[in-house]
Amino acid sequence: MAIAKAERLMNLALCLMNTRRPLSKKELRESIEAYREAWQNSSEEAFNRMFERDKDDLRELGLVIDVDENALDGELGYLARADRNRLPEIALDAEEAAALTLAARVWQQAKMSGAASGALQKLRAAGVPFTETEGRPALEPRIPAREAAFEPLLTAARDRRPVTFDYRKAGAAAAEQRSVEPWALECWRGHWYLAGWDRDRENARVFRLSRITGKVRARSGAFLGTVPEHVDVRATVAKFAGEGATATAVVRIRRGAGFPLRTKALSTRRADDHWDELEIPYGNGLGADLAEFGPDVLVVGPEELRADVVDRLRAVAGVVADGAVVAGVLVDSAETESVRA
């Protein structure tokens, strides 16, 4: 008679939680009767599929399973450490429970919606005083997660697994491969961002998920950098978006164009019959924003911003020399050294 799945999961959890060293799949197969039966009566492949499903199910239930790649002469070892699987007693008042209930309704994505619902069920089982409200408010927040990269990055951040993906920067002609240790994901102004450690650049970076092309590929090995205790994704994104910048830039915008830039302007004056001159906050990432406006923007200064826009335009248009015109894009090397996109 086949052993029930619940018993099999319990046996696997007990094995992983009651060992002082990582256990290989072979050791787990010898220790758990259901795995031994699958291996003997079916095949190695059948056992592997069963084990992977059970491992994922335990993680869905909240068990933190660590993977050690160098524990057993190159074989993967599995361990559920007690210090990572012990939580203090949960005590929430009615207002906190109501806030969690509202947060669980935020997710539009089916998988995240199911995870949020499952979390509420576990808290109810622990005695948290959830109460059903009469009706729902007229307006409820919703967070979409449509990017294909969202789920694999969320899993990698949870499991502390490095990843690689192809990323196209704003204004860049082609995507570049990035090797990243993912820290946290956060939604800001309708877009999802990943914060993590860029191994190639040896620095913390923020990536917009909509600019990730192709598949996110998980890599072996542990994190090389130290994960900060608190990752403020929004503050980092705001910095790269020019929010809260202390410096300013001067740009000219063609009359009747560049309305998003005009909303950020600290001052505006009429330059001539065709151009308005704006002073705008200058922070990291402004060059990418300006390049997207094409021939409607003229950078006056500072010099490093002008150079940044030139580099981006050359990458997009394939301009290899000043004064060349490709696909309607002009890089002007006049005495004023102005840059026209």
Side-chain angles (χ1 to χ4, degrees), residues 157-169:
R158 180 197 67 188
D159 297 341
R160 294 289 188 259
R161 307 285 288 179
V163 296
T164 59
F165 51 77
D166 293 331
Y167 187 77
R168 183 185 58 79
K169 296 189 298 184

Side-chain angles (χ1 to χ4, degrees), residues 55-77:
K55 181 159 57 69
D56 290 341
D57 287 343
L58 286 179
R59 281 174 168 161
E60 287 293 329
L61 292 170
L63 188 68
V64 180
I65 301 175
D66 294 323
V67 181
D68 191 336
E69 300 195 1
N70 301 311
L72 302 161
D73 297 327
E75 288 190 53
L76 295 180

Side-chain angles (χ1 to χ4, degrees), residues 165-208:
F165 51 77
D166 293 331
Y167 187 77
R168 183 185 58 79
K169 296 189 298 184
E176 298 178 351
Q177 187 177 86
R178 299 294 187 94
S179 179
V180 179
E181 299 173 9
W183 292 343
L185 289 159
E186 191 160 346
C187 187
W188 189 70
R189 295 188 176 179
H191 299 287
W192 278 100
Y193 295 87
L194 167 72
W197 181 262
D198 190 318
R199 288 182 168 181
D200 297 324
R201 289 153 184 80
E202 297 184 346
N203 204 348
R205 287 289 189 271
V206 171
F207 305 91
R208 183 164 151 177

Side-chain angles (χ1 to χ4, degrees), residues 59-249:
R59 281 174 168 161
E60 287 293 329
L61 292 170
L63 188 68
V64 180
I65 301 175
D66 294 323
V67 181
D68 191 336
E69 300 195 1
N70 301 311
L72 302 161
D73 297 327
E75 288 190 53
L76 295 180
Y78 302 91
L79 172 69
R81 298 206 312 262
D83 58 338
R84 299 190 63 188
N85 288 284
R86 183 182 295 113
L87 295 175
E89 182 180 353
I90 300 174
L92 300 176
D93 58 29
E95 291 183 354
E96 291 171 331
L100 282 179
T101 302
L102 181 62
R105 295 173 181 165
V106 164
W107 294 100
Q108 290 182 344
Q109 189 182 31
K111 185 170 183 178
M112 296 304 298
S113 175
S117 176
L120 291 184
Q121 291 179 4
K122 295 174 191 176
L123 290 172
R124 286 192 181 96
V128 175
F130 289 107
T131 57
E132 295 295 332
T133 58
E134 296 182 1
R136 292 188 177 183
L139 296 176
E140 287 187 353
R142 289 290 184 265
I143 297 180
R146 302 184 183 92
E147 292 87 350
F150 177 82
E151 288 187 11
L153 288 176
L154 184 66
T155 301
R158 180 197 67 188
D159 297 341
R160 294 289 188 259
R161 307 285 288 179
V163 296
T164 59
F165 51 77
D166 293 331
Y167 187 77
R168 183 185 58 79
K169 296 189 298 184
E176 298 178 351
Q177 187 177 86
R178 299 294 187 94
S179 179
V180 179
E181 299 173 9
W183 292 343
L185 289 159
E186 191 160 346
C187 187
W188 189 70
R189 295 188 176 179
H191 299 287
W192 278 100
Y193 295 87
L194 167 72
W197 181 262
D198 190 318
R199 288 182 168 181
D200 297 324
R201 289 153 184 80
E202 297 184 346
N203 204 348
R205 287 289 189 271
V206 171
F207 305 91
R208 183 164 151 177
L209 266 61
S210 61
R211 292 176 180 155
I212 294 177
T213 62
K215 293 184 177 181
V216 175
R217 298 171 291 277
R219 293 305 184 206
S220 60
F223 281 10
L224 302 177
T226 302
V227 181
E229 293 184 2
H230 176 66
V231 182
D232 195 339
V233 182
R234 293 192 181 190
T236 306
V237 174
K239 175 183 175 183
F240 275 77
E243 302 287 341
T246 56
T248 60

Side-chain angles (χ1 to χ4, degrees), residues 11-32 35 47 51-52 55 65-81:
N11 290 336
L12 177 58
L14 291 174
C15 285
L16 295 175
M17 297 181 68
N18 289 280
T19 178
R20 295 184 179 181
R21 64 171 180 81
L23 299 175
S24 68
K25 284 199 292 186
K26 181 179 179 180
E27 290 175 312
L28 291 168
R29 186 185 69 200
E30 296 299 324
S31 302
I32 299 174
Y35 292 158
F47 155 67
F51 172 74
E52 293 299 328
K55 181 159 57 69
I65 301 175
D66 294 323
V67 181
D68 191 336
E69 300 195 1
N70 301 311
L72 302 161
D73 297 327
E75 288 190 53
L76 295 180
Y78 302 91
L79 172 69
R81 298 206 312 262

